[in-house]
Amino acid sequence: MAGGGAGPDDAVEDERGVRAAPALGDEDRRRLLAGAHHDPHAVLGAHPVPGGVLFRTLRPYARSVTVAADGLRARLRAEGDGLFSGVLPLRNIPDYRLLVAYEDAELELHDPYRFLPAIGELDLHLIGEGRHEELWRALGARPMTHQGVTGTRFTVWAPNALGVRLTGDFSYWDGTALPMRSLGGSGVWELFLPGVGEGALYKFEIARPDGGHSLRADPMARRTECPPATASVVHASHHDWGDAAWMAGRAGGRVHELPFSVYEVHLPSWRPGLTYRQLAEQLPAYVKDLGFTHVELMPVAEHPFGGSWGYQVTGFYAPTARLGTPDDFKYLVDALHRAGIGVIVDWVPAHFPKDAWALAEFDGRPLYEPADPLRAAHPDWGTLEFDYGRTEVRNFLVANAVYWCEEFHIDGLRVDAVASMLYLDYSREPGQWTPNAHGGRENLDAVAFLQEMNATVYRRCPGVVTIAEESTAWDGVTRATHHVGPSGFGGLGFGLKWNMGWMHDSLAYLAHEPVHRAYHHHEMTFSMVYAYSENYVLPISHDEVVHGKRALVSKMPGDWWQRRATHRAYLGFMWAHPGKQLLFMGQEFAQGAEWSEAHGPDWWLLDPSYSAEPDHRGVRDLVRDLNRTYAATPALWQRDTDPEGFSWIEGDAREDNVFAFLRYDAEGSPLLAISNFSPVVRHEYRVGTPEAVPVWREVLNTDDRRYGGGGVVNAEPLKAEPTGWHGRPASILPVLPPLGTIWLRPA
């Protein structure tokens, strides 16, 4: 739009040399003032007309507006309603500015309506097709230099809107002067606003199809105000990453054949009051000391209600501002990586809340959610489900998964509530759901979305792992998407799946008094029936230690000593069982109270001045040794997904409450794990062993005194005898501690 400049003889200093512009049509005026104009750039800005150049601007509350350029200063005529216009006798559109005079100030600024669209045709094409894998670079607020001028490009997808206006602290939250233009049939609205940069607060004012207006936060905002404030914030990253070595190593990793031990954390309450940067000084050191390979962060995306723990997201592209800026969060991830710790985040594409300033009926009609209210409403959480069948919505979510992995160097996504996505009848009664095109209950659109998300993440982000929280027997959660299973579906493509069945069954077993456990023995062994049907994580997560479920140690029966002993024995059993491990914060030191986001873990239990501190420190010392021994023992992780890596020795000693099994590494070297979930010492308990191992030594015993146990240990090596037992050619006679687990390796 910019052309040759005005000459000196074109200078005009007031309205006398400015001809009146043709009157703005009534319909254009009405729509412009109502914020319902689809193309404000057609009527605002500068346009060649017969005899000169027409200038028009919308500046409510202004006393006057003057066009200023090299050798030009011309005051426009007031048209009423905040409109100013005039025709100047110019040959070309100059590189001009506007001098806007108010009651107590005059501002000199670039006219937003003299700029071409700052988003490319390819971006719009990919958005329309739902294939823009870097959607965050095309939509939202992006500081940039456009046509030689610095400012911010604002773009938003709102295909049902009659009009969209930009508003923010830069306009005193009055969007009248900043209508955005609709870019063809893409549903995208755009405005480049000169002079606005990082830190500016903004929202979009949507003119709804019903004639109403709503003020909305940006769905693509990369930064937000701190709740309960709800504005979006213009952001550009300046973090200088220092984790190149970690990222290079990650790209070549095979997570299924590597140690994978996860510490689950709720960042706002791990150490209440700490920011991302303060957490970076404490969390990596703590996790590294305990030997965990990864942390899993409960959702960090922005959410309005802290009590939701982040599982009701309104800002899918913004880390919560409660703990700092997006760059502060990157600093934390960077610090964890430099400490050798991977970072998994909980990701929630299953639903979103109904807040009137967020995604619900974003442009006046269902947009991110299905149009059918019954289909849209999530029956359990008072939220809305996503419309996975709409290409732009699917693109919004797929790109979001990529965004966290690429922009924040996240190493894994634990996808929340997958079961609620997969089934049309999830938590719905007959008559409240409609079968799919084949008459089934499967949500075919959700299946296609999950397959696309996983395939895209694995293609773009080598070394990243996706993990499904999926509680049903869906076939092929961790099968490749191109491999069709017995159900007729391709795999969902996840790398790992939470083993909810193992968690429920094993905790149910432990809840019984030892004398009754014989009748529930199968609850500890049934997991091996299906252990290799998927690639599993064994989760003792936040869900198991809240809302009346009690902390892990408090689930155990008996007195305090017995509860701690069972807690320790269970962790030993868990770390030896096929699958990766996950433990929620506080359980590593046997916190007795349920977790609360209001105060976090009971760190005072580890205060040396507390009389029972050794009891809790002992459990934490065990977790450290479990992780270190685990990491040094390939038999415990190298063949997690290979049935040849596991063998029962004794899986039916129900009267003894004993379980014994072997784990093998790729070279065939074994680890023998034996758990005794009865409160009695079992002396010289004969256990069958492979013939090839003449001597075994104890490498871990959960009853060791340094863990708070009774000290019933196998201090000397155990020589195999040529006495066949448990179908094995040889056997050993270890002592089994009460409520204890021991690990033995070839001496």
Side-chain angles (χ1 to χ4, degrees):
M1 292 173 64
D9 57 340
D10 294 319
V12 183
E13 296 186 359
D14 57 31
E15 293 181 7
R16 287 174 293 179
V18 178
R19 293 191 287 114
L24 187 63
D26 291 343
E27 182 63 12
D28 276 331
R29 177 183 285 261
R30 182 192 66 78
R31 290 167 55 206
L32 195 61
L33 296 176
H37 204 295
H38 73 287
D39 190 12
H41 290 68
V43 293
L44 299 177
H47 303 273
V49 295
V53 175
L54 185 154
F55 293 84
R56 178 175 281 115
T57 185
L58 177 58
R59 292 287 161 179
Y61 315 115
R63 297 180 61 186
S64 67
V65 177
T66 299
V67 175
D70 183 19
L72 170 66
R73 189 179 179 90
R75 194 167 67 194
L76 301 179
R77 298 170 179 261
E79 290 187 15
D81 297 320
L83 286 161
F84 297 83
S85 66
V87 176
L88 276 63
L90 304 175
R91 295 185 295 274
N92 298 295
I93 298 173
D95 183 7
Y96 70 96
R97 289 174 173 248
L98 298 176
L99 306 178
V100 185
Y102 293 96
E103 188 71 33
D104 55 358
E106 182 176 80
L107 304 178
E108 180 176 354
L109 42 82
H110 288 281
D111 185 356
Y113 298 92
R114 76 175 182 86
F115 293 91
L116 295 168
I119 182 172
E121 290 296 326
L122 179 59
D123 285 319
L124 297 175
H125 174 74
L126 292 174
I127 290 170
E129 289 195 341
R131 295 191 300 111
H132 204 307
E133 295 177 0
E134 297 181 353
L135 190 65
W136 66 94
R137 302 187 189 280
L139 295 180
R142 187 172 184 82
M144 63 189 340
T145 298
H146 180 48
Q147 293 178 214
V149 176
T150 58
T152 297
R153 181 198 67 197
F154 295 89
T155 46
V156 63
W157 179 61
N160 297 308
L162 297 181
V164 180
R165 293 192 288 205
L166 177 65
T167 184
D169 57 0
F170 42 78
S171 66
Y172 299 95
W173 295 102
D174 183 348
T176 306
L178 298 173
M180 304 175 72
R181 63 177 147 208
S182 174
L183 299 177
S186 65
V188 174
W189 300 76
E190 182 264 358
L191 182 67
F192 175 73
L193 192 56
V196 169
E198 296 175 48
L201 306 181
Y202 71 99
K203 283 189 176 182
F204 298 114
E205 183 185 330
I206 308 288
R208 300 159 50 97
D210 62 7
H213 290 77
S214 64
L215 201 58
R216 299 285 175 152
D218 183 359
M220 299 292 301
R222 298 176 67 181
R223 183 180 170 190
T224 69
E225 279 191 292
C226 186
T230 60
S232 303
V233 182
V234 177
H235 173 72
S237 179
H238 300 284
H239 180 73
D240 185 14
W241 288 96
D243 64 348
W246 171 271
M247 296 296 286
R250 182 186 83 176
R254 291 177 56 83
V255 68
H256 305 100
E257 300 172 1
L258 294 171
F260 193 93
S261 175
V262 183
Y263 183 60
E264 189 189 19
V265 177
H266 179 251
L267 281 179
S269 69
W270 185 72
R271 294 279 192 182
L274 296 190
T275 65
Y276 292 127
R277 289 183 180 268
Q278 291 168 333
L279 284 162
E281 302 305 316
Q282 297 188 31
L283 183 61
Y286 183 80
V287 176
K288 186 177 181 65
D289 174 65
L290 289 185
F292 287 98
T293 65
H294 291 72
V295 293
E296 179 176 318
L297 309 179
M298 291 167 66
V300 296
E302 194 60 272
H303 50 284
F305 176 50
S308 78
W309 311 330
Y311 290 98
Q312 296 196 9
V313 177
T314 48
F316 280 81
Y317 284 78
T320 179
R322 292 171 174 86
L323 307 181
T325 69
D327 276 2
D328 293 338
F329 179 61
K330 289 182 178 181
Y331 183 88
L332 171 59
V333 175
D334 207 347
L336 286 160
H337 282 173
R338 285 184 278 109
I341 298 161
V343 182
I344 302 163
V345 297
D346 280 10
W347 186 55
V348 192
H351 63 126
F352 57 91
K354 297 179 179 179
D355 298 75
W357 51 269
L359 294 183
E361 292 193 352
F362 180 78
D363 58 5
R365 290 179 180 163
L367 185 65
Y368 289 90
E369 68 272 37
D372 180 354
L374 282 178
R375 180 67 193 86
H378 196 291
D380 290 343
W381 302 315
T383 53
L384 296 170
E385 297 186 10
F386 281 101
D387 184 357
Y388 305 109
R390 184 159 190 165
T391 56
E392 298 95 338
V393 174
R394 194 166 66 245
N395 191 174
F396 173 81
L397 293 170
V398 171
N400 187 240
V402 173
Y403 171 75
W404 287 101
C405 299
E406 293 191 354
E407 290 291 312
F408 292 95
H409 292 196
I410 298 302
D411 305 294
L413 299 172
R414 199 280 289 184
V415 183
D416 184 64
V418 171
S420 75
M421 302 166 65
L422 290 174
Y423 297 100
L424 295 167
D425 62 345
Y426 185 88
S427 287
R428 292 181 170 91
E429 300 297 328
Q432 294 182 338
W433 62 281
T434 303
N436 63 34
H438 306 295
R441 55 196 284 255
E442 301 86 1
N443 186 336
L444 303 181
D445 291 332
V447 171
F449 155 66
L450 290 170
Q451 291 174 327
E452 180 183 350
M453 181 277 296
N454 281 312
T456 305
V457 167
Y458 278 101
R459 171 171 49 81
R460 290 187 62 117
C461 310
V464 167
V465 62
T466 60
I467 307 167
E469 185 209 16
E470 203 283 315
S471 55
T472 74
W474 183 278
D475 172 50
V477 173
T478 58
R479 190 171 60 237
T481 57
H482 60 283
H483 288 168
V484 177
S487 63
F489 290 100
L492 296 182
F494 285 95
L496 296 166
K497 171 182 172 175
W498 273 19
N499 194 335
M500 311 296 282
W502 172 87
M503 179 270 296
H504 284 297
D505 288 349
S506 60
L507 291 181
Y509 172 85
L510 292 173
H512 296 291
E513 293 286 347
V515 68
H516 299 304
R517 286 175 180 162
Y519 306 103
H520 300 273
H521 198 77
H522 65 283
E523 292 175 346
M524 290 290 269
T525 60
F526 182 66
S527 60
M528 290 312 304
V529 173
Y530 61 86
Y532 301 102
S533 61
E534 302 280 4
N535 306 326
Y536 283 116
V537 174
L538 311 180
I540 299 299
S541 74
H542 66 279
D543 275 332
E544 311 319 315
V545 296
V546 291
H547 296 159
K549 295 179 183 178
R550 297 176 293 176
L552 182 58
V553 72
S554 298
K555 298 176 189 288
M556 314 305 178
D559 60 23
W560 175 232
W561 192 96
Q562 290 175 316
R563 293 202 304 273
R564 283 187 295 119
T566 309
H567 180 106
R568 295 192 306 268
Y570 179 62
L571 293 179
F573 176 85
M574 172 182 173
W575 254 251
H577 191 285
K580 311 305 184 181
Q581 300 82 35
L582 178 140
L583 190 66
F584 183 59
M585 64 184 195
Q587 313 317 301
E588 78 274 17
F589 57 84
Q591 173 177 315
E594 285 188 336
W595 168 64
S596 166
E597 78 280 358
H599 58 73
D602 290 335
W603 296 109
W604 58 269
L605 295 171
L606 296 169
D607 188 328
S609 65
Y610 175 54
S611 61
E613 180 267 347
D615 297 344
H616 299 279
R617 175 170 40 82
V619 175
R620 188 170 67 170
D621 289 344
L622 169 65
V623 170
R624 180 188 297 109
D625 286 351
L626 282 169
N627 277 325
R628 290 181 176 176
T629 308
Y630 164 81
T633 309
L636 291 174
W637 41 263
Q638 202 170 52
R639 300 172 77 180
D640 261 332
T641 61
D642 180 0
E644 298 299 316
F646 175 91
S647 179
W648 279 115
I649 288 179
E650 177 55 273
D652 199 31
R654 60 183 61 246
E655 297 302 326
D656 296 338
N657 301 156
V658 170
F659 306 86
F661 55 83
L662 290 162
R663 298 292 305 279
Y664 294 97
D665 65 17
E667 303 301 321
S669 180
L671 177 135
L672 171 57
I674 310 172
S675 295
N676 173 24
F677 286 105
S678 67
V680 298
V681 180
R682 301 201 180 278
H683 295 281
E684 295 189 337
Y685 191 88
R686 191 172 292 277
V687 176
T689 58
E691 185 177 26
V693 182
V695 182
W696 297 79
R697 64 180 175 88
E698 189 175 85
V699 295
L700 187 135
N701 186 319
T702 65
D703 195 52
D704 197 299
R705 291 190 187 279
R706 66 180 183 271
Y707 306 141
V712 179
V713 300
N714 295 276
E716 299 299 323
L718 297 166
K719 294 182 179 181
E721 300 178 357
T723 302
W725 207 256
H726 295 137
R728 305 280 174 172
S731 58
I732 56 175
L733 292 169
V735 58
L736 304 186
L739 301 174
T741 292
I742 64 174
W743 291 358
L744 305 168
R745 292 198 63 190

